[in-house]
Amino acid sequence: MAGQATHPPRANPRGNNLKAAGIRPPPRLKHFLDLDRIDPRTLRRILDFGAAFKRGKPPKGRAKPLAGRTLAMIFEKPSTRTRASFQVAMQELGGQVVVLGGPESQLGRGETIADTARVLSRYADVIMIRTDDPAKLREMAAYASVPVINGLTDQSHPCQIMGDIMTFEEHRGSIQGRTVAWSGDGNNVAASWIQAAARFRFRLRLACPKELAPRPAVLAWAKGEGAEVTLVGDAAAAVAGADLVVTDTWVSMGQTGDKRRRRLLGPYRVDARLMARAKKDALFMHCLPAHRGEEVTDAVMDGPHSVVWDEAENRLHAQKGILYWCLAD
Ligand code: CP
Ligand code: NVA
């Protein structure tokens, strides 16, 4: 639990005798926690690494730059894409993976995140965690002596948006100055889109029920950064003339899908009529898993605007960029 740890974090990966042995301490850890914590040039660099791996032209010509390195992944929530894509990414870069589920590890019996961080840092070179409370992610980063990657919390999903930006740019060129429309729940994925709008300089219009609007703090941060992020009343207004339309599930992991929630979100469903209000060549994205017939119709998921499978694939490539940046850049 946050705040239960009793010792300050150690700076050295794998041991505390480096200084005594006259070995230089490692440089500051490169955590991938949230898009607001990483500057735009670095984010662009990470995407460039990912694209280079995808093209088969790895940075410095090293196809297996993470040989001998280990990624530990902790899942306190379910996953298909994040788990599979990180595992394949690490393996293709020459490294290996250890996967821990929340309930079947000692975390499920109350071992603290801080202690888990210190233990895993002795086995692994990088840790990815998917959890509920973002305080747990911060605690992991505070107590790990290796880089920590955010694999989703209740408040953000930055790895997803890196893959999404890569996907948009592959299809349509630079996202800077373009218009992205979000229609649906103002959830964790929406929050990372808001942060991305500031970092990648695109216009973002969000249509969400006011009861399910994004957290004011994330909107205030984006505004402070000069980002063009606006909340608009209805989905049609958000989507009008957009280059990209994005939505996500109405019921995120850990939430209950009551009738009221579905009633509130009904008007934000992305169907062919709504999509027709966007630019003629607009793209449609969804982080998946999709609930067809709820937040998106089959006609849109399987229609000409949809790039959801490319988007899912690009989790793999973007995360190679993240892993390479954390460990080998
Ligand atoms: N989009 C995404 O993160 O999918 P998973 O929950 O399957 O990892
Ligand atoms: N908002 C969704 C994203 C899943 C990848 C959730 O948190 O369940």
Side-chain angles (χ1 to χ4, degrees):
M1 289 300 151
Q4 284 187 0
T6 49
H7 299 290
R10 286 217 172 93
N12 299 339
R14 298 203 176 169
N16 46 7
N17 295 323
L18 294 182
K19 214 169 169 190
I23 298 169
R24 215 153 36 94
R28 228 165 69 87
L29 296 173
K30 289 192 257 174
H31 298 303
F32 189 85
L33 299 183
D34 268 310
L35 302 181
D36 61 350
R37 305 269 295 259
I38 303 179
D39 65 83
R41 275 179 56 177
T42 302
L43 292 172
R44 178 54 65 189
R45 189 172 170 78
I46 292 171
L47 283 183
D48 288 347
F49 287 142
F53 283 116
K54 185 173 184 179
R55 280 198 310 273
K57 301 236 181 290
K60 297 183 189 156
R62 293 162 64 208
K64 307 269 182 206
L66 304 188
R69 316 294 283 278
T70 299
L71 164 68
M73 297 199 279
I74 300 171
F75 286 97
E76 294 201 297
K77 291 184 178 199
S79 169
T80 296
R81 279 143 289 268
T82 304
R83 180 176 172 152
S85 58
F86 264 111
Q87 180 145 2
V88 172
M90 198 64 192
Q91 284 166 353
E92 289 187 356
L93 295 179
Q96 56 186 353
V97 196
V98 172
V99 187
L100 300 173
E104 73 264 17
S105 74
Q106 297 290 8
L107 279 168
R109 296 182 57 250
E111 186 167 19
T112 65
I113 292 276
D115 288 352
T116 306
R118 287 179 284 205
V119 169
L120 290 181
S121 298
R122 301 295 179 101
Y123 307 141
D125 301 280
V126 54
I127 298 169
M128 191 234 73
I129 177 166
R130 167 169 285 194
T131 187
D132 45 13
D133 185 347
K136 294 188 189 173
L137 171 75
R138 290 193 291 270
E139 185 175 347
M140 182 64 75
Y143 286 87
S145 50
V146 299
V148 172
I149 297 172
N150 176 0
L152 179 147
T153 73
D154 287 350
Q155 290 186 3
S156 63
H157 196 2
C159 291
Q160 178 68 50
I161 276 52
M162 293 297 275
D164 294 359
I165 304 282
M166 179 183 263
T167 307
F168 182 89
E169 296 195 332
E170 281 177 356
H171 284 269
R172 295 286 180 268
S174 173
I175 199 165
Q176 187 172 341
R178 310 300 283 268
T179 300
V180 178
W182 175 275
S183 183
D185 185 16
N187 65 12
N188 46 1
V189 176
S192 287
W193 270 106
I194 292 168
Q195 293 175 339
R199 289 301 185 237
F200 292 94
R201 311 308 305 175
F202 55 83
R203 210 170 294 117
L204 178 62
R205 296 197 296 241
L206 299 117
C208 316
K210 62 180 184 317
E211 297 83 345
L212 300 172
R215 285 181 310 115
V218 73
L219 290 166
W221 175 83
K223 212 159 244 167
E225 292 288 309
E228 280 190 74
V229 175
T230 45
L231 290 184
V232 295
D234 67 40
V239 167
D243 296 285
L244 168 64
V245 178
V246 193
T247 191
D248 186 16
T249 180
W250 289 348
V251 187
S252 282
M253 293 179 276
Q255 298 175 334
T256 42
D258 52 27
K259 264 201 196 133
R260 178 176 165 270
R261 198 175 176 87
R262 289 176 207 279
R263 185 172 41 77
L264 286 172
L265 284 159
Y268 300 86
R269 172 178 298 117
V270 181
D271 58 15
R273 232 175 58 166
L274 183 64
M275 212 49 224
R277 294 180 172 269
K279 273 200 183 135
K280 230 175 143 176
D281 69 344
L283 300 177
F284 169 76
M285 288 192 201
H286 188 310
C287 65
L288 307 179
H291 302 79
R292 290 165 177 261
E294 287 200 354
E295 74 273 7
V296 60
T297 59
D298 283 336
V300 172
M301 271 287 283
D302 304 323
H305 301 283
S306 174
V307 289
V308 297
W309 315 123
D310 293 344
E311 183 186 4
E313 178 186 334
N314 280 335
R315 293 293 303 279
L316 169 67
H317 307 296
Q319 286 159 198
K320 281 185 182 174
I322 293 169
L323 290 164
Y324 181 83
W325 172 74
C326 287
L327 292 176
D329 179 23

